């Protein structure tokens, strides 16, 4: 078997060196549907076995990409002059010494981790965080649904507290929204920490972001109550590697798995029990039992001022690495033309891994069996994917056990290849452009989180990151979506970047319809946190995420090359390329005004200053 795979790679390399690839003028026009199809037919073939992290199939994909980069004269930008950055995935044991100290009207009480409060397994580096307590009810800001617990409040620099599972008017898909409360309090409202109840689905870190659970399984099943996985941590054993195909790998050891630095200071996201909240609310002369009863019946929760409550969080955990597994990012660079600006960068990214293969034949969807309930499904909760209401999956071909990932994210993989070729064989912009094919996205954003913590170039020299994940289809296979691409995050960190992308689109011979629905903070899929761009955005780098949305073949054996819309794929790659050229030629970095998401459902166009 092994030699047959190698023969395939050799054949591909020989074909290249025989001059199948003609050196054109480069640029956007060099991005063609025919070439994208050619590359994707290999990347998403059964030979690559679904490209699961740590497998032979992923290695074949890495070699294929690297050989093309070499052919186009894209320079290596990985470790030691190679095209590869080794990603170390550590299994870590934790010794918990963290605590929360609450001062109420001069009276003090300390709750240790595991005794009334629970810190994530990966609580980050040691630090002490202090702030005034601010109670924000259900902790939700969903103005479109008529819910805004933050209205009229400034929680900046404070410790946010929230309770419950949302009011009766919670929109569909509320679990991700509940799971995002702590993260949103910190990222959007600039709280220094967040404390929520230790009931399922209602707490913070990891409940929605980048854990394997978030990437591939329903959030409701992902996290046992009271033990939220940390950002950058996955509960052991890579559960997100849905679909099997682990190839006899060892079970993951350790309390959590991470690729990130363990000394990173992370804003605390903590869950707490009744005793903790009892003490907090005693300050305001309120009984927590009354508030809890209202929360349990999803009634309106009264505002409670906690003026005399201050909270000190002492993050103190010791970590021991007990296992390391290795995978690789593929990294290439085209140097900029400006002697001053060439030491600054625009990053382009996609993930080249997928979820592997089913070790047993997948069960077809049936009316009795909600879609996505099987391993590798990923829609969760019986709901249809991304709002594709009423759609059923195709019955797979008999014996088809391979999740080809043609759209996810074979489409982005070949899209970034085309962009790299366009830069390498075309005009050079002032800044350098770097291309990263991330490994292990499906297992918890492994490759991008590693790159963001151990970058190959200094992050403060990175002007923007443009990420592509699933750009080869029409959302829910709707023909009306043929010219639509969804943009997420473009306006959150840099308004200027958003506007550059709008200008790039207008400059295309045939502009696309840019849709910001998934950028809406009330979007139930929390897409902003669910692909590799989020690893860079978390470091303050402006990003744009390009996707064509979910469909019924998502994370299923039927995500195959035959279903890809190659002209659309080429068109979006041209848009990303054109935006990249604009950013790379700018004499300054796109300004980071951090105004958060403004373009949402139904919005379009540039944002005025
Ligand atoms: Zn993906």
């Amino acid at each position: 078997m092994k030699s047959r795979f190698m023969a395939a790679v050799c054949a591909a390399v020989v074909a290249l060196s025989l001059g199948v690839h003609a050196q054109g003028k480069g640029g956007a026009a060099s991005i063609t549907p025919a070439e994208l199809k050619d590359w994707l037919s290999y990347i998403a073939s059964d030979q690559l076995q679904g490209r699961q992290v740590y497998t032979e199939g992923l290695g074949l994909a890495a070699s294929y990409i690297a050989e093309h980069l070499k052919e186009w004269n894209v320079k290596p930008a990985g470790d030691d002059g190679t095209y590869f950055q080794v990603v170390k995935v550590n299994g870590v044991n934790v010794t918990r010494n963290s605590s929360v100290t609450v001062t109420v009207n001069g009276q003090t009480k300390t709750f240790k981790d595991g005794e009334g409060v629970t810190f994530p397994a990966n609580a980050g580096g040691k630090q002490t965080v202090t702030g005034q307590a601010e109670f924000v009810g259900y902790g939700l800001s969903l103005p479109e649904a008529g819910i805004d617990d933050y209205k009229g409040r400034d929680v900046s620099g404070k410790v946010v507290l929230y309770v419950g599972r949302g009011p009766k008017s919670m929109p569909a898909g509320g679990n991700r929204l509940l799971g995002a409360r702590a993260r949103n309090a910190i990222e959007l409202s600039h709280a220094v920490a967040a404390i929520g109840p230790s009931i399922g689905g209602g707490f913070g870190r990891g409940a929605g972001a980048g854990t394997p659970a978030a990437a591939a399984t329903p959030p409701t099943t992902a996290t046992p109550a009271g033990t939220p996985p940390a950002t950058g941590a996955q509960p052991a054993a890579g559960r997100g590697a849905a679909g099997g195909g682990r190839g006899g790998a060892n079970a993951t050891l350790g309390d959590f798995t991470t690729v990130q630095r363990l000394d990173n200071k992370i804003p605390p996201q903590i869950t707490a029990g009744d005793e903790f909240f009892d003490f907090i609310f005693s300050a305001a002369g309120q009984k927590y039992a009354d508030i809890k009863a209202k929360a349990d019946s999803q009634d309106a929760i009264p505002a409670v001022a906690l003026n005399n409550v201050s909270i000190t969080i002492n993050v103190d955990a010791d970590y021991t690495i007990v296992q390391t597994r290795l995978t690789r990012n593929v990294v290439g660079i085209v140097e900029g033309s400006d002697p001053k600006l060439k030491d600054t960068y625009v990053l382009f990214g996609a993930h080249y891994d997928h979820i592997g293969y089913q070790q047993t034949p997948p069960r077809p969807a049936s009316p009795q069996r909600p879609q996505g309930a099987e391993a590798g499904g990923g829609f969760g909760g019986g709901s249809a994917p991304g709002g594709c209401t009423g759609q059923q999956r195709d019955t797979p071909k008999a014996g088809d056990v391979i999740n080809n990932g043609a759209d996810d994210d074979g489409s982005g993989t070949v899209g970034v290849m085309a962009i790299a070729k366009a830069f390498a064989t075309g005009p050079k912009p002032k800044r350098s452009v770097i291309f990263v094919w991330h490994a292990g996205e499906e297992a918890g954003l492994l490759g991008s989180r590693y790159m963001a913590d151990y970058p190959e170039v200094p992050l403060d020299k990175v002007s923007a990151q443009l990420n592509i994940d699933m750009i080869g289809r029409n959302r829910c296979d709707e023909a009306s979506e043929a010219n639509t691409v969804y943009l997420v995050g473009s306006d959150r960190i840099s308004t200027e970047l958003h506007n550059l992308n709008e200008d790039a689109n207008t400059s295309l011979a045939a502009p696309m319809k840019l849709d910001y629905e998934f950028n809406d903070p009330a979007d139930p899929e929390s897409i902003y946190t669910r692909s590799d761009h989020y690893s860079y955005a978390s470091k303050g780098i402006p990003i744009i995420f390009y996707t064509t949305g979910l469909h019924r073949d998502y994370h299923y054996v039927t995500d195959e090359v035959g279903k890809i819309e190659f002209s659309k794929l080429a068109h979006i790659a041209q848009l990303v390329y054109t935006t990249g050229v604009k950013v790379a030629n700018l004499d300054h970095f796109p300004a980071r005004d951090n105004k958060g998401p403004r373009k949402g459902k139904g919005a379009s166009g540039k944002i005025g200053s």
Side-chain angles (χ1 to χ4, degrees):
M1 292 301 280
K2 189 176 167 193
S3 60
R4 213 181 72 197
F5 291 134
M6 286 316 294
V9 170
C10 291
V13 172
V14 168
L16 281 166
S17 55
L18 286 176
V20 171
H21 154 69
Q23 196 85 357
K25 286 206 182 89
S30 74
I31 299 172
T32 66
E35 258 185 344
L36 291 164
K37 185 173 185 181
D38 188 28
W39 303 331
L40 190 60
S41 297
Y42 178 72
I43 291 287
S45 67
D46 283 359
Q47 288 179 58
L48 270 55
Q49 301 176 333
R51 308 188 303 280
Q52 187 168 0
V53 67
Y54 311 125
T55 67
E56 183 179 5
L58 189 72
L60 288 172
S63 299
Y64 183 82
I65 296 164
E67 290 296 342
H68 281 78
L69 297 182
K70 196 173 172 188
E71 177 72 15
W72 302 326
N73 206 21
V74 176
K75 300 251 160 55
D79 304 335
D80 307 320
T82 72
Y83 287 107
F84 306 110
Q85 178 187 42
V86 172
V87 174
K88 294 179 182 166
V89 186
N90 291 321
V92 182
N93 278 347
V94 57
T95 306
R96 295 161 175 268
N97 304 308
S98 298
S99 62
V100 181
T101 297
V102 184
T103 304
V104 169
N105 293 331
Q107 196 195 343
T108 290
K109 214 169 194 174
T110 294
F111 298 84
K112 288 184 183 163
D113 188 6
E115 298 171 17
V117 297
T118 303
F119 286 68
N122 182 2
K126 294 178 199 237
Q127 63 173 332
T128 301
V129 173
T130 299
Q132 282 293 309
E134 179 92 11
F135 179 56
V136 291
Y138 287 116
L140 293 160
S141 182
L142 308 168
E144 280 197 9
I147 304 169
D148 196 353
D149 295 319
Y150 283 86
K151 197 173 179 183
R153 289 178 190 283
D154 179 8
V155 303
S156 177
K158 295 180 177 171
V159 177
V160 155
L161 297 122
Y162 54 84
V163 298
R165 301 180 58 84
K168 293 192 182 82
S169 55
M170 275 295 280
N175 267 323
R176 276 190 197 279
L177 299 172
L178 292 173
R181 285 184 289 186
R183 187 178 65 239
N184 287 341
I186 291 160
E187 289 186 5
L188 301 180
S189 301
H190 311 292
V192 292
I195 305 179
S198 51
I199 53 171
F203 41 72
R205 294 208 301 142
T211 62
T217 60
T220 42
T221 61
T223 339
T227 55
T231 295
Q234 39 177 324
R239 288 194 294 231
R246 299 187 56 75
N250 293 334
T252 302
L253 302 175
D255 295 327
F256 66 93
T257 302
T258 187
V259 295
Q260 292 177 298
R261 297 178 60 107
L262 291 161
D263 57 357
N264 277 346
K265 292 185 174 111
I266 305 170
Q269 298 181 19
I270 300 164
T271 62
D274 291 357
E275 194 196 337
F276 177 86
F277 283 108
D278 279 339
F279 187 62
I280 292 272
F281 286 108
S282 69
Q286 296 269 342
K287 285 209 172 74
Y288 174 55
D290 297 341
I291 293 165
K292 196 180 176 195
K294 288 210 163 60
D296 286 347
S297 56
Q298 299 190 285
D299 289 326
I301 294 178
V304 179
L306 298 172
N307 297 332
N308 300 315
V309 182
S310 80
I311 296 180
T312 297
I313 298 165
N314 185 32
V315 178
D316 180 1
D318 291 308
Y319 304 108
T320 312
I321 294 172
V322 294
Q323 183 187 55
T324 300
R325 304 177 77 188
L326 305 179
T327 183
R328 297 185 298 182
N329 291 329
V330 183
V331 196
I333 183 170
V334 172
E335 284 194 354
S337 59
D338 184 291
K340 278 191 193 140
L341 293 177
K342 66 187 282 192
D343 290 335
T344 64
Y345 309 93
V346 180
L347 263 54
F348 298 82
H351 71 89
Y352 75 107
D353 69 303
H354 193 54
I355 58 172
Y357 58 91
Q358 316 281 135
Q359 288 174 331
T360 55
R363 280 186 272 184
S366 75
Q368 291 76 38
R369 193 178 162 70
Q371 288 192 56
E374 66 273 21
F379 304 132
S383 58
C388 304
T389 314
Q391 291 193 359
Q392 294 290 315
R393 285 185 150 145
D394 288 346
T395 303
K397 289 190 292 269
D400 186 1
V401 294
I402 296 184
N403 295 296
N404 302 84
D407 191 28
D408 186 10
D409 185 20
S411 61
T413 299
V414 298
V416 175
M417 286 173 69
I419 292 165
K421 184 188 170 193
F423 276 109
T425 60
K428 304 293 178 285
K430 292 176 182 168
R431 278 180 225 295
S432 298
V433 283
I434 295 184
F435 312 94
V436 185
W437 289 265
H438 298 107
E441 188 268 358
E442 302 283 8
L445 314 186
L446 301 180
S448 58
R449 284 187 162 144
Y450 189 85
M451 179 63 90
D453 267 18
Y454 302 95
E456 295 286 0
V457 298
L459 283 191
D460 61 2
K461 303 282 186 193
V462 175
S463 61
Q465 199 264 352
L466 307 179
N467 183 45
I468 303 175
D469 195 352
M470 299 176 69
I471 55 163
R473 297 283 294 268
N474 293 332
R475 184 184 183 190
C476 302
D477 296 324
E478 299 281 357
S480 60
E481 294 270 321
N483 195 42
T484 298
V485 59
Y486 292 85
L487 303 187
V488 187
S490 61
D491 60 349
R492 294 196 181 208
I493 296 172
S494 171
T495 306
E496 188 174 9
L497 181 63
H498 171 92
N499 289 342
L500 285 168
N501 183 75
E502 283 279 344
D503 283 342
N505 187 48
T506 310
S507 78
L508 296 179
M512 301 201 68
K513 180 173 181 288
L514 308 184
D515 192 312
Y516 296 96
E517 176 179 337
F518 298 135
N519 187 47
D520 199 309
D523 168 53
E525 295 282 344
S526 285
I527 283 185
Y528 181 64
T529 64
R530 287 175 61 193
S531 186
D532 292 313
H533 56 274
Y534 187 61
S535 303
Y536 300 94
S538 298
K539 303 284 185 186
I541 295 169
I543 63 92
I544 303 176
F545 175 38
Y546 300 83
T547 184
T548 46
L550 297 178
H551 46 74
R552 58 188 154 170
D553 301 302
Y554 172 73
H555 282 201
Y556 203 51
V557 299
T558 52
D559 180 3
E560 292 174 318
V561 173
K563 294 184 172 176
I564 297 297
E565 310 279 346
F566 284 100
S567 334
K568 182 175 184 179
L569 204 172
H571 202 172
I572 297 171
Q574 288 170 349
L575 169 63
V576 179
Y577 168 81
T578 307
T579 300
V581 169
K582 283 187 179 293
V583 179
N585 280 326
L586 213 58
D587 65 357
H588 58 279
F589 276 18
R592 302 176 182 189
D593 49 0
N594 289 297
K595 289 193 173 162
R598 284 152 287 162
K599 291 288 178 182
K601 196 170 182 176
S604 63
K606 291 167 76 167
I607 297 173
S609 50

